[in-house]
């Protein structure tokens, strides 16, 4: 469904991603793992064309995304949840969801407010609250819910467990597993290995923008030396 091949990305003269390659099948949850600054966010921005790769290809359902405008990438069925959340703080929860609404997309779940409130009960209780009244974890839930209103077939989640309370982290894990059961494909970037192992089928580890491991979670568990080398603090 998604294939990155030989991606190189730069910020000015700084070479951030070096020949990065991996792929995802439909319905998978894949965790992009690495320490802070490893290149995880840049990878997601390169997929969305917010950072334009210099060389290589990013193919989504057979379409090369390189060079497309980010809004055209989104219209193909990719949803991006940035680490910064970026909700509309002066709008209510319902109004934020309405901003993200897109027409029904063939072959994907058609998300409604009621379905999203079932997925994130905290938001149901606060549907009339303005975004600025929500906790950090609730803002993260709202960002994901707003993205789902676009009816994507693949969602990129950047650090979904970062900086939120443990009880919300558990709710987030259950929500991601529910998304998987709905047939959604998910790429999430994470530093929290425990969280990633709870939701992901496969993992890709990067260090300084270079792939160091790709395989199943069981494969990663069987190679503690890889975990210690690239994920330990």
């Amino acid at each position: 469904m998604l294939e990155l091949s030989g991606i190189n990305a730069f910020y000015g003269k700084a070479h951030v991603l070096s020949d990065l390659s991996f792929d995802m099948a439909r319905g998978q949850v894949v965790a992009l793992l690495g320490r802070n600054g490893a290149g995880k966010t840049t990878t997601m921005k390169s997929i969305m064309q917010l950072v334009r790769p210099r060389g290589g290809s990013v193919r989504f359902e057979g379409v090369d995304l390189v060079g497309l405008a980010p809004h055209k990438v989104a219209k193909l069925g990719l949803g991006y949840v940035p680490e910064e959340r970026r909700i509309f703080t002066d709008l209510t929860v319902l109004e934020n969801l309405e901003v993200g609404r897109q027409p029904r997309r063939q072959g994907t779940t058609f998300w409604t407010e009621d379905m999203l409130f079932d997925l994130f009960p905290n938001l149901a209780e606060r549907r009339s609250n303005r975004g600025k009244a929500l906790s950090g974890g609730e803002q993260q839930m709202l960002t994901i819910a707003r993205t789902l209103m676009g009816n994507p077939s693949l969602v990129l989640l950047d650090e979904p467990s970062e900086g939120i309370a443990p009880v919300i982290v558990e709710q987030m894990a259950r929500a991601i597993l529910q998304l998987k059961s709905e047939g959604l494909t998910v790429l999430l970037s994470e530093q929290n290995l425990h969280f990633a192992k709870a939701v992901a089928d496969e993992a890709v580890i990067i260090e300084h923008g270079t792939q160091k491991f790709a395989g199943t979670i069981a494969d990663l568990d069987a190679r503690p030396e890889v975990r210690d080398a690239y994920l330990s603090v």
Side-chain angles (χ1 to χ4, degrees), residues 17-215:
L17 299 180
S18 301
D19 296 320
L20 184 63
S21 301
F22 65 89
D23 56 61
M24 297 178 61
R26 183 180 298 276
Q28 275 191 321
V29 176
V30 175
L32 185 62
L33 302 174
R35 297 186 180 97
N36 189 36
K40 304 186 299 296
T41 294
T42 303
T43 299
M44 294 199 163
K45 288 184 175 180
S46 295
I47 293 169
M48 293 302 300
Q49 299 302 295
L50 295 166
V51 171
R52 295 297 176 91
R54 301 184 195 173
S57 66
V58 180
R59 302 190 72 84
F60 174 65
E61 296 191 320
V63 177
D64 193 351
L65 305 181
V66 174
L68 294 181
H71 73 276
K72 291 185 177 180
V73 174
K75 283 188 175 182
L76 290 173
L78 281 87
Y80 176 44
V81 181
E83 183 180 3
E84 303 89 353
R85 297 167 189 157
R86 297 182 185 175
I87 64 166
F88 295 99
T89 56
D90 287 330
L91 300 184
T92 67
V93 167
L94 280 168
E95 289 168 340
N96 267 276
L97 295 180
E98 190 61 32
V99 168
R101 185 185 297 277
Q102 294 291 328
R104 184 184 296 271
R105 192 185 306 276
Q106 186 174 2
T108 65
T109 300
F110 180 66
W111 292 94
T112 65
E113 289 92 341
D114 287 343
M115 292 169 64
L116 292 168
F117 290 148
D118 286 342
L119 186 65
F120 296 117
N122 293 50
L123 297 183
E125 298 170 3
R126 293 161 175 77
R127 66 183 70 197
S128 298
N129 289 22
R130 295 189 187 278
K132 59 188 174 186
L134 305 182
S135 70
E138 289 164 351
Q139 290 184 5
Q140 182 70 292
M141 292 175 177
L142 179 55
T143 310
I144 295 172
R146 185 181 64 191
T147 299
L148 292 174
M149 285 293 285
N151 306 306
S153 51
L154 188 154
V155 173
L156 312 178
L157 301 179
D158 195 1
E159 301 279 5
S161 73
E162 179 68 18
I164 59 178
V167 64
I168 302 295
V169 172
E170 293 178 10
Q171 293 177 29
M172 195 70 70
R174 289 195 295 269
I176 292 172
L177 292 173
Q178 179 63 32
L179 296 181
K180 181 183 175 183
S181 74
E182 293 282 347
L184 200 64
T185 309
V186 179
L187 175 64
L188 61 99
S189 76
E190 266 298 333
Q191 295 184 64
N192 184 334
L193 180 59
H194 177 74
F195 179 85
K197 288 168 64 174
V199 300
D201 304 299
E202 297 191 359
V204 175
I205 297 175
I206 59 176
E207 176 81 0
H208 300 305
T210 303
Q211 181 180 304
K212 300 297 184 181
F213 171 88

